[in-house]
Amino acid sequence: MTHDDRTGRGRSGGTGVVADRLSGAASARRGLSTRRGLWPGRRGAAAELAGADLAGRVFSGRGLRGADLRGAYLSGADLRGTDLRGALLRGADLRDADLSSAVLTEADLSGTMLVGTYLTGADLRGADLRGAYLRDVDLRGAFLGRADLRDADASAAILRGAVLQGADATDAILDTADLRAADLRGLRLAGARLHRVDLRGADARGTELGEATLCAARLDRLRWSAATTWPRNEWAYRVRSTSRETAPGVFEVEGSRHG
């Protein structure tokens, strides 16, 4: 089943943009795929995976905890349920790979190419995703508590029901992202861009939006608190005027869209 079939929408177009940037590096990596014994589970094998061409390979359910996969070419790889705790994936190409339910706690994914990747139900708590390309990524139900998403590009990402409690998305791009019913408590969004983002039913209690760029957002049923900060004074007034208090210091937006 294609990504479009599963999400019911087309791609954001990011894959074609980044392909040219990676073509030279990917060609160099492919030369490594001819080495024998390039497979996890053998002693020392994990250390050999840095820069390797592992496109389309099946790692589902295997243990790659702490593996060095920096700069590896893993486009289309099957990594469902794989244990990648503390793994080094900096600069790796994981476009269209399947990491559903994978464990990536404390993993280094900074600068990683994750365009069109499946990360549904994945555990990314405490992961380093600084500067990562997360366009059109499926992160439904994923755990991103305390994750570092600074400067990440998560345009058109599906984060429905995801947990981002205490994460840092400073200066991140979240244009047209689907954050319905997401847990955004304590999420830092200073300098982030959220154009046409869908926040319906999300929990934004204590979320820092004070310096974010927020426009044409869908906010109905969004929960927020007195500790939530809003960009510009008119935002605070606009949201409060369309909200009702559901508990002391806790509010819920009743309007459908805010400019």
Side-chain angles (χ1 to χ4, degrees):
M1 182 179 293
T2 66
H3 183 59
D4 290 351
D5 292 334
R6 291 174 63 177
T7 62
R9 65 179 181 185
R11 290 195 179 281
S12 62
T15 304
V17 174
V18 299
D20 293 338
R21 296 177 58 191
L22 289 167
S23 59
S27 297
R29 291 176 193 134
R30 290 190 182 101
L32 295 171
S33 63
T34 58
R35 297 190 307 186
R36 299 178 68 85
L38 195 61
W39 192 256
R42 299 179 56 205
R43 181 176 295 179
E48 296 180 33
L49 299 178
D53 183 353
L54 301 165
R57 296 286 288 271
V58 178
F59 297 88
S60 182
R62 290 182 176 266
L64 285 168
R65 186 173 183 176
D68 188 348
L69 288 151
R70 287 175 294 179
Y73 186 68
L74 288 150
S75 181
D78 184 351
L79 291 147
R80 289 174 295 171
T82 302
D83 184 354
L84 286 155
R85 283 175 287 178
L88 301 175
L89 287 148
R90 189 183 316 145
D93 184 352
L94 285 153
R95 286 175 292 173
D96 301 309
D98 194 342
L99 288 107
S100 302
S101 301
V103 182
L104 291 144
T105 52
E106 306 295 337
D108 183 355
L109 290 147
S110 54
T112 301
M113 197 64 59
L114 291 157
V115 179
T117 304
Y118 305 112
L119 282 156
T120 53
D123 191 344
L124 290 144
R125 287 175 294 180
D128 186 350
L129 287 151
R130 287 174 296 171
Y133 291 86
L134 292 152
R135 296 178 223 160
D136 207 24
V137 169
D138 191 340
L139 282 154
R140 284 176 293 180
F143 299 92
L144 290 139
R146 300 177 291 99
D148 191 342
L149 290 150
R150 288 176 290 171
D151 296 303
D153 185 348
S155 302
I158 303 171
L159 287 147
R160 197 181 312 162
V163 178
L164 291 102
Q165 190 173 356
D168 189 349
T170 299
D171 296 322
I173 300 173
L174 288 154
D175 293 348
T176 70
D178 183 352
L179 287 152
R180 282 177 285 176
D183 185 347
L184 310 176
R185 288 176 294 169
L187 174 63
R188 292 181 290 281
L189 286 160
R193 199 174 74 193
L194 298 99
H195 294 178
R196 301 185 306 282
V197 68
D198 194 339
L199 290 159
R200 288 177 291 173
D203 189 344
R205 287 177 289 172
T207 303
E208 296 178 21
L209 285 152
E211 297 176 24
T213 302
L214 184 64
C215 68
R218 301 199 67 174
L219 304 178
D220 43 315
R221 301 187 309 281
L222 175 79
R223 282 175 291 167
W224 58 280
S225 67
T228 303
T229 59
W230 298 100
R232 305 186 303 273
N233 290 335
E234 59 266 30
W235 262 103
Y237 171 77
R238 196 179 305 164
V239 172
R240 182 175 286 277
S241 65
T242 56
S243 299
R244 63 184 178 87
E245 191 168 16
T246 58
V250 179
F251 307 88
E252 184 174 302
V253 178
E254 294 185 308
S256 60
R257 184 181 291 273
H258 291 71

